[in-house]
Amino acid sequence: MTGSLPEAGTGPLPEVGGAGAAGGTGPARPGDGAARLGGLRAEHRTTPIGLDVVPRFSWIVTSGARACAQLSYRVVVAGPGAPVWDSGEVPGPRSYEVEYEGPPLAPLTRYEWEVTVRTTHGDAHARSWFVTGPLTEADWGGAAWIGRERARPAAPLLRTEFAVDGEVRSALLVVAAGGYADVSVNGERPGADVLSPGFTDYEDRVQYVAFEVAHLLRSGANAIGLELGRGFYGVTGANTWDWHTAPWHGEPCARVLLHLGLAGGRTRKIVSSPAWRRADGPTRYDDPYGGESYDARHERPGYDRPGFDDAGWRPADVLAGPSGRLVNQRQQPVRVVEELPVDQVTEPLPGVYVARVPRVVAGWLQVRATGAAGSTVTLRYGERLTERGLPNYEDEKGYFDGRFQTDEFTLAGTGEPECWEPKFSWKGFQYVEITGWPEPGPPPPGRLVAKVVHTDAAVTGRFDCAEPTLARLHDVTVATVLNNLHGIPTDTPKFEKNGWTGDGMLGAEMFLRNLDIHEFLAKWVDDIADTRDGGGAPEVIAPHGGWHLDWSPAPPWHAAYVLIPWWIHRYTGDVRVLREHYAGMRDYLEFELGRSPGGIADTTLGDWVSPETDPGGGNAPEDPRVAATAYLYAMLTALADVAGILGLDGDVRWLRARAGRVRAAFRERFLDAGSGCVRGEGDSGFRQTHNVLALAFGLLEEAERAGVAARVAADVSARGHLNTGALGTKYLLPVLTDHGHGELALAVALRPEFPGWAFWLEQGATTLWEHWSAASRSRGHYFLGTVDDWLFTHVAGLRQGTPDADTLTVRPALTRALAGARAEVVTPRGTAGVAWRRDGDALTVGVTVPVGARAYVHLPAAPGDLVTEGGVPCAEAEGVEPVRETPEETVVLVRAGTYSFTV
């Protein structure tokens, strides 16, 4: 195995989950029945700073005892010196999405909150805190948008000095930006964030970040420094997606507020203004696609410290700035999350060196070199090697005008090793070409370090399996997803860096199982909604900068706007995301129905990159209206469920009626009764995706399902492989397994030849590819990695979110074909898990259910088979409730606790 990913199929699963975080009393110990409380969060974040919405509170109860239940809770929120809200004792098991109901919170204020729960196994108490941000324009204290008025290549530096009289009790630094703002206080960065604040449609929303910085300030002189990067706000190079001409495009700028709490209850605000000073910095060029150029000869050491001589600097220019509403950056920051050493340096051409890191990553290379002043080291990044042994750093499709994936580091010539790494662009790479190396011989590997850079979302899900290929496939899938999280879910860290909505829609459930991703996805749903400025359908990438190409209609891609909020609710219990976007989702579906004559929808983007398509991308050779209509039906049924949750009974009836008409139209147009399968006009042979979507979305009658599934299985067997693109791949293996073809699904997953996931692994893949072919353009795409859904739901047998976030289903489906598997997910109630193994004729299934959740456990036992839990018959086991028996299985219900069933 290459890289630092955990070796597949070995070792225990790490501990995961939120119990014990944020001031709790820690997780319950095995055998300890006392209830404990932890995992406290406000608005889905631990101790958030800059909160600008009415917070919702959550906590996690743990106990070593079975069937522990929360009986009531009480939440108290206190501001400086006094409580502001007391919920009183509220009966019931609710422990998440508990909304603050007190008077309006004050801006720029730290609040303490505490929760006390009463349970069947004792009381528990824990406390945490949050800090509000600026809530109105007045709270910004007149802070101006500042930067440099005229476009110049160099990134501007900004600075100010101020004096503090006396003790600083609190200090909240708030920074908004058009582009990126790298901020420091008295020479120290207040956080580890990079590529910050996050990327949005700057006409609608502009994000700010907030830091507590009292520990960085001192009595007397202090300084704030910023370096501004262009990001997508200030792109200069022409590109296919028109970021350089976006309606909100402008020079990088920042808006800064420092709110001080001083001794004696005094407050003071330091704000950005034309009194701040500016100068060109050492970053001479930066572009999200092109990379960066840095000239150390232009460094200005100490510019962010008090006492720096800025006599030659000019006053900061006051700019219009982006016009969008200022909002707190709700998603986790982008950070350097890992460092990887270069494990090989080769010299394919004289003086041209190629550095390799263990796996494909998103980020950049840090360089340490010694050389003469003006000598320049050039870095060109690629995901694979060409026939010449050089990285494939070219823009293969001509999407960009000018440089691509290239960094330049010009030395100051100090005579000592000089160290540099980028800060305003990231690249997708495993190989880096190095030219202009200023020292004799190749660069020693210790002088080169890869920095892995992505949204710092914790990995909360776990999967392992006795079949190493499946375990390895899960590992590289998660690595690929992480490589594509940079404030939005991107389609590649190397090429496009765009938030394609279809990609994110397909991956959303995979994200929710594996990562602490609620706030990230909720933010992106806002981005999708913001693309509907004129109503109608959302755009196919979000944020959107006015791309001149019209990709409509594209219901499978637009479906992100409806299905992702629905899945967020099902996996996390969030109702607010449904309430905030319901009107827009309904409006969009009315629009889509209006352009779908007779209930038949069409799409420009269908089952993308099926095996027979060009490796550069394309639709499958089939009627795209089948997938479009299937997704229209799926959206209507999902939104009907949303309307039910929101209590909109009239809308439920309207949506179900429209869904029924679309279903009828689909069946009349595409269901071929003679052949017993779904067909479209102009299809190239039997199309697996057509039939798989019909099965997965409920477009077939019960009597038809087995026959259609059998036709899919027969086609897979005849071909010897899958024949699906991104849309069909998500559902192919689950559909096969659900209809009695589990061993065939397993064979597809393990097939070492093209097309398939094991084929990629056989080719040495360390991340997933954009196309099944070895000629795939990108080696950093997750949308064909939705096999990971099947690994959790069918191989391990752990499903969540049906019908609600508190309900789990345990149903391992391959217990006769594999020796064992296990998985963990974090639910709103805490960590849930399943681990099963087969020993000869005996099957053992271990189940962990968090307090407040329930699990329906399906065991492959016929009536009369011996089924035990903890060594005693199930009927006598504590906490095990019988549900039903069929000739094929026994179903029981269990609540909080850890259980071990043997069949």
Side-chain angles (χ1 to χ4, degrees):
M1 297 296 176
T2 60
S4 61
L5 294 171
E7 185 175 351
T10 63
L13 291 173
E15 292 291 334
V16 298
T25 52
R29 295 181 293 272
D32 180 1
R36 294 171 181 267
L37 191 58
L40 273 64
R41 289 189 167 197
E43 201 53 29
H44 295 270
R45 291 182 280 170
T46 303
T47 59
I49 301 176
L51 201 62
D52 61 348
V53 297
V54 175
R56 294 165 290 177
F57 302 110
S58 64
W59 54 89
I60 292 173
V61 179
T62 61
S63 170
R66 287 189 179 177
C68 177
Q70 177 183 296
L71 302 175
S72 68
Y73 71 84
R74 180 185 180 188
V75 174
V76 178
V77 179
V84 296
W85 179 59
D86 186 338
S87 71
E89 185 172 359
V90 180
R94 191 174 181 188
S95 64
Y96 58 91
E97 302 296 309
V98 175
E99 187 164 314
Y100 172 82
E101 296 179 349
L105 297 172
L108 308 168
T109 301
R110 180 184 173 107
Y111 288 89
E112 307 283 338
W113 70 281
E114 57 185 34
V115 58
T116 302
V117 298
R118 187 163 56 88
T119 80
T120 54
H121 290 71
D123 297 349
H125 176 84
R127 62 175 56 207
S128 187
W129 54 269
F130 63 89
V131 180
T132 56
L135 305 179
T136 68
E137 175 60 28
D139 299 332
W140 283 89
W145 287 102
I146 60 173
R148 183 185 52 219
E149 186 174 15
R150 292 183 177 83
R152 293 179 64 180
L157 302 179
L158 300 170
R159 72 178 309 274
T160 192
E161 290 194 27
F162 57 96
V164 174
D165 178 16
E167 180 187 359
V168 177
R169 300 283 179 84
S170 65
L172 185 65
L173 178 65
V174 185
V175 181
Y180 299 135
D182 186 57
V183 62
S184 52
V185 178
N186 290 337
E188 296 188 49
R189 302 180 73 241
D193 306 10
V194 297
L195 305 173
S196 174
F199 173 37
T200 60
D201 180 336
Y202 293 95
E203 281 191 320
D204 290 294
R205 301 169 204 266
V206 184
Q207 292 195 321
Y208 66 79
V209 292
F211 308 94
E212 287 193 322
V213 296
H215 62 292
L216 300 179
L217 299 174
R218 59 181 69 95
S219 181
N222 293 268
I224 300 173
L226 291 92
E227 184 176 10
L228 303 183
R230 293 190 164 276
F232 284 88
Y233 180 75
V235 170
T236 54
N239 56 83
T240 291
W241 302 281
D242 298 321
W243 297 118
H244 58 298
T245 59
W248 34 255
H249 184 275
E251 285 301 294
C253 55
R255 196 180 194 198
V256 183
L257 162 68
L258 176 61
H259 179 75
L260 301 176
L262 304 171
R266 294 176 298 137
T267 63
R268 181 184 171 196
K269 291 180 179 179
I270 312 297
V271 299
S272 49
S273 75
W276 288 42
R277 309 288 284 174
R278 69 162 174 85
D280 290 348
T283 301
R284 313 306 283 181
Y285 168 91
D286 69 283
D287 182 272
Y289 300 112
E292 295 175 49
S293 295
Y294 185 92
D295 191 336
R297 296 172 297 181
H298 294 273
E299 288 180 344
R300 300 176 184 266
Y303 87 96
D304 52 358
R305 296 177 181 272
F308 177 81
D309 182 6
D310 61 7
W313 292 40
R314 299 178 62 82
D317 294 328
V318 174
L319 306 180
S323 61
R325 179 168 61 93
L326 286 165
V327 297
N328 182 223
Q329 179 180 291
R330 62 188 301 186
Q331 75 277 12
Q332 299 96 323
V334 177
R335 290 179 175 148
V336 175
V337 298
E338 186 180 1
E339 295 186 1
L340 292 178
V342 167
D343 61 7
Q344 182 185 80
V345 177
T346 60
E347 189 177 7
L349 297 172
V352 178
Y353 302 105
V354 174
R356 183 188 72 183
V357 296
R359 68 177 192 267
V360 174
V361 299
W364 52 66
L365 197 66
Q366 181 194 74
V367 176
R368 186 181 299 273
T370 304
S375 55
T376 298
V377 180
T378 300
L379 312 172
R380 295 183 176 93
Y381 299 78
E383 293 175 332
R384 55 184 170 84
L385 295 177
T386 66
E387 294 180 356
R388 301 174 64 204
L390 300 175
N392 66 328
Y393 52 77
E394 298 88 356
D395 168 21
E396 299 169 7
K397 287 196 171 185
Y399 286 158
F400 314 104
D401 181 12
R403 63 191 272 181
F404 179 62
Q405 289 245 130
T406 300
D407 288 332
E408 296 174 332
F409 173 34
T410 300
L411 280 66
T414 64
E416 299 292 331
E418 300 178 47
C419 185
W420 174 78
E421 63 186 83
K423 63 174 65 173
F424 296 133
S425 65
W426 74 98
K427 299 88 183 171
F429 70 99
Q430 186 174 10
Y431 301 92
V432 184
E433 178 192 283
I434 303 168
T435 56
W437 183 251
E439 302 176 17
R447 300 288 191 93
L448 309 170
V449 178
K451 301 292 185 77
V452 182
V453 180
H454 56 68
T455 295
D456 193 8
V459 177
T460 54
R462 299 289 187 272
F463 171 84
D464 203 354
C465 184
E467 170 49 62
T469 299
L470 298 184
R472 177 66 180 164
L473 178 57
H474 167 74
D475 292 340
V476 300
T477 298
V478 174
T480 308
V481 169
L482 290 171
N483 281 349
N484 279 285
L485 303 183
H486 294 88
I488 62 172
T490 63
D491 59 333
T492 70
K494 176 186 174 184
F495 289 102
E496 301 188 24
K497 296 181 170 71
N498 286 320
W500 284 92
T501 53
D503 300 33
M505 179 275 296
L506 292 167
E509 289 188 282
M510 180 167 63
F511 297 175
L512 288 160
R513 288 190 181 94
N514 282 292
L515 303 170
D516 177 11
I517 206 72
H518 173 280
E519 288 295 273
F520 180 98
L521 284 179
K523 179 266 184 188
W524 194 51
V525 172
D526 288 341
D527 291 333
I528 296 171
D530 288 344
T531 71
R532 299 184 64 249
D533 285 336
E539 300 287 354
V540 295
I541 61 172
H544 192 267
W547 190 11
H548 65 279
L549 291 181
D550 182 7
W551 283 87
S552 61
W557 265 244
H558 306 326
Y561 184 41
V562 176
L563 297 183
I564 293 179
W566 174 232
W567 287 329
I568 289 174
H569 167 75
R570 286 181 56 180
Y571 285 83
T572 73
D574 183 358
V575 176
R576 183 181 289 179
V577 70
L578 304 180
R579 188 177 296 115
E580 287 181 343
H581 292 285
Y582 177 78
M585 293 188 289
R586 189 186 190 280
D587 180 66
Y588 156 60
L589 283 179
E590 287 189 66
F591 172 81
E592 197 65 68
L593 287 166
R595 65 176 180 182
S596 301
I600 300 298
D602 202 355
T603 181
T604 61
L605 292 164
D607 195 29
W608 199 255
V609 295
S610 63
E612 65 267 63
T613 59
D614 185 278
N619 281 327
E622 62 191 25
D623 188 343
R625 297 175 302 165
V626 178
T629 308
Y631 266 94
L632 176 56
Y633 175 73
M635 286 189 282
L636 288 164
T637 55
L639 197 63
D641 289 338
V642 171
I645 290 168
L646 299 180
L648 304 172
D649 295 340
D651 280 15
V652 172
R653 291 189 292 273
W654 186 88
L655 287 160
R656 295 214 183 282
R658 284 359 181 234
R661 294 176 191 173
V662 171
R663 187 176 187 270
F666 180 95
R667 293 173 55 80
E668 181 180 358
R669 179 69 61 90
F670 302 124
L671 184 60
D672 185 339
S675 63
C677 65
V678 176
R679 294 184 184 276
E681 295 178 14
D683 285 355
S684 176
F686 180 88
R687 304 309 302 176
Q688 293 175 14
T689 292
H690 286 351
N691 293 273
V692 164
L693 293 181
L695 286 161
F697 293 167
L699 287 156
L700 302 176
E701 301 296 335
E702 184 64 32
E704 300 163 342
R705 294 173 63 83
V708 173
R711 289 295 307 272
V712 175
D715 189 75
V716 171
S717 296
R719 296 176 188 270
H721 58 78
L722 57 76
N723 195 40
T724 52
L727 299 181
T729 296
K730 178 176 170 65
Y731 297 103
L732 175 65
L733 301 192
V735 160
L736 287 173
T737 307
D738 285 341
H739 291 86
H741 306 285
E743 294 193 13
L744 176 61
L746 179 61
V748 170
L750 298 177
R751 173 184 167 83
E753 298 85 26
F754 169 84
W757 304 278
F759 168 71
W760 290 343
L761 299 182
E762 290 286 329
Q763 298 292 309
T766 61
T767 48
L768 307 178
W769 300 353
E770 183 180 13
H771 194 284
W772 298 112
S773 169
S776 174
R777 177 188 64 145
S778 168
R779 301 298 173 96
H781 242 77
Y782 61 78
F783 69 174
L784 292 175
T786 47
V787 60
D788 198 66
D789 294 336
W790 175 76
L791 296 180
F792 276 87
T793 59
H794 291 76
V795 176
L798 180 59
R799 309 185 195 194
Q800 58 191 126
T802 303
D804 55 47
D806 289 337
T807 304
L808 304 161
T809 300
V810 174
R811 193 176 196 174
L814 295 167
T815 56
R816 297 184 183 277
L818 294 169
R822 51 185 169 172
E824 290 178 343
V825 296
V826 172
T827 76
R829 302 286 192 173
T831 300
V834 60
W836 65 267
R837 70 177 185 274
R838 177 172 49 81
D839 297 307
D841 291 334
L843 174 69
T844 300
V845 181
V847 180
T848 299
V849 183
V851 173
R854 69 192 72 86
Y856 291 91
V857 183
H858 297 245
L859 301 166
D865 287 350
L866 177 62
V867 181
T868 62
E869 193 288 310
V872 301
C874 268
E876 304 171 15
E878 177 191 5
V880 180
E881 305 173 31
V883 175
R884 67 175 179 273
E885 285 186 339
T886 72
E888 292 80 28
E889 65 178 10
T890 295
V891 183
V892 298
L893 171 64
V894 294
R895 303 182 190 276
T898 299
Y899 302 82
S900 179
F901 297 94
T902 300
V903 179

